[in-house]
Amino acid sequence: MNRISSFNIVSLTLGFAFLYIPMIILVIYSFNESKLVTVWAGFSTKWYGELLRNESFLAAAWVTLKVAFFSSTLATILGTMAAYVMVRRGRFAGRTLFSGMIYAPLVMPEVITGLSLLLLFIAIGLDRGVLTIVLAHTTFAMCYVSVVVSSRLVSFDQSLEEAALDLGSTPFEAFRLVTIPIVAPAVLSGWLLAFTLSLDDLIIASFTSGPSATTLPMKVWSSVRLGVSPEINALSTIFIGIVTVGVLIASVVSKRAISRRQAEELAAES
Amino acid sequence: MVNSTVFAPWEDPGQTPLIRIENVTKRFGDFTAIDDVSIDIYTREFFALLGPSGCGKTTLMRMLAGFETPSEGRITIDGKDMAGVPPNKRAVNMMFQSYALFPHLTVWDNIAFGLRRDRMDKDRVAARVEEMLKLTQLQKFAKRKPHQISGGQRQRVALARSLAKAPKLLLLDEPLGALDKKLREETQFELMEIQEKTGTTFVIVTHDQEEAMTVASRVAVMNHGKLVQVDTPERIYEAPKSVYVADFIGDVNLIEGLVASVGELAELTWAEGKAPLIGQSGASLKAGDEAVFAIRPEKIAISREEPEARNRVRGKIVDIGYLGNLSVYHVQLPDGSYMKCEVGNRSRVSRRDYTWEDEVWLSWTDTAGLVLPS
Ligand SMILES: Nc1ncnc2c1ncn2[C@@H]1O[C@H](COP(=O)(O)OP(=O)(O)OP(=O)(O)O)[C@@H](O)[C@H]1O
Ligand SMILES: [Mg+2]
């Protein structure tokens, strides 16, 4: 192993400082006694208590979790199916157009996605609320899922599915019993990605929600405009905690999946 | 059996074949991978498909398994037309070249996979899996995943999995390609034993002509999507119908010439002022045709004195290959061409009779060689 030179230490420190100092400050101030965000007045967890008593925050949090759960689940199902068709079902008419269209939302400005969805919901007379946000989030998260899953499917040995068919499974059984378990880690990380994307989306949710449904990012955004409160810091700290745990789980899952896959591939080559 | 006869259902017109491949053509775009192939394969046969890479062996197998549909022609298995029958509805199992074991399932579950698809009850699945594990000597590895066992063990799992459903027809696509020579030979015999025990019909694809000769009841030699010859291994080796087959299966010396006469035996003039070569006459030759004389190296005798045989040529040893059980002499004839001659080594190498630059005679009997259309 190379010795770590002082130059490396400096650049590493700078990089991490740049990334994490804002968050660290936020976390520290969430434990601030004082109501003034910029003045330190001793350690306290009272803002977390306040937060728990704040009905509107709790309601928003609940909406956010519901939206994130349902939209990421839907997006995972649809995105996995789309990826499967793209990678597996060979060349059908319009395949290139279709795959281009699936990936387009990746580069589409969110404002435009949000606006077009809003217009659609108005046109078909759908009342805006939790349902419309779920639909909107599903739409844009689905393409991320299908990118993640199709990259796994591309490296997946097709003869496994043929073997399943050969042994008497229907195409659906082959998909359920062979394809899904093998691509599961990719599907899971797709789901986690969709979940976090939905969790922190502000723009599309703002376009597609109605008075009955406010998500947490919307709530944070609107209350910050009235001034930053220590409650927001506490809330954000909780979020950082949740995301950190999520990322850790995802990386452990994918690391284990990768090392197992390497072992399997090594075995397949011999 | 009291009245044991030679297994040769293809010679009995009363037998109906298990598989009929009738004038099957398969095109990929404008490329013809299989070109008007017709084969009948009978129950309990061990049928080998042999041919160079890209000649269409895998494609033919995939059509039998149902992964590809013929562009033209008909495949019937057990009297039923297979057109439109998907792979999961065929009493055919395939052992894939890559084994295609399910990496997320244990050896046990891999073998049970096909049985469970038939909604077989638990106890019978377990009994059948145990039986298969025993047959392939895998009991110790039942709980392991495919990446935790060796290549040869994986190959046996693939075999056990494809045998478990007791298919009428088992397709083996280069099943032993990944094994070393010793394990390969062991497994060949294991396969033949399994075939005898279970009575399954096997179709095996192989690159390796020795393997085909060892295991097969009949061999089909293919080239560029066409069937060149279908025959028993002995006949393929001893009586190839074309230079292509003679050359593809085993080693052979080929000498070009003109047919001088055909009768019981054919004579071939091959060089000015030399006596014609005499051999068995291959398919439909007449005097004056261009033809090729084919003689296997092991049928040639080598001597210092001029031999009695009518087929004899003189030459000089230019190379000697020592292969343990036999020695191969490369002899250059006066016209510059080479012939190979194999002699068994009964005694130690030190007592080798011939050496480099020796002038020797090569000779063979009247019936040892074949005159084939070129
Ligand atoms: N799906 C396909 N599309 C186009 N061409 C194909 C397809 N499958 C096979 N071919 C072509 O058909 C020919 C026969 O292929 P096949 O796989 O049957 O060869 P093979 O005899 O099994 O060769 P090998 O011994 O190398 O496995 C090859 O030239 C191959 O390129
Ligand atoms: Mg092949």
Side-chain angles (χ1 to χ4, degrees), chain A residues 162 166-167 169 177 267 270, chain B residues 62 88 93-94 104 154 165:
Chain A
E162 289 183 341
D166 188 64
L167 292 165
S169 359
L177 297 170
S270 66
Chain B
R62 290 173 59 81
N88 48 319
N93 284 140
M94 179 148 164
H104 59 298
R154 273 198 285 279
K165 296 187 79 170

Side-chain angles (χ1 to χ4, degrees), chain A residues 22-94:
Chain A
M23 282 190 230
I24 292 168
I25 288 175
L26 188 147
V27 171
I28 291 171
Y29 274 103
S30 75
F31 295 104
N32 190 359
E33 173 78 47
S34 161
K35 180 145 184 79
L36 295 167
V37 176
T38 47
V39 182
W40 182 254
F43 180 86
S44 152
T45 54
K46 77 173 188 198
W47 300 113
Y48 289 87
E50 290 286 313
L51 192 63
L52 285 180
R53 283 186 291 278
N54 188 328
E55 295 281 330
S56 71
F57 271 128
L58 287 181
W62 180 234
V63 168
T64 308
L65 286 178
K66 263 198 306 202
V67 167
F69 179 79
F70 286 113
S71 67
S72 59
T73 305
L74 260 175
T76 303
I77 294 169
L78 292 175
T80 303
M81 278 165 28
Y84 187 75
V85 172
M86 287 297 122
V87 177
R88 273 290 172 269
R89 287 292 157 254
R91 322 229 129 244
F92 53 88

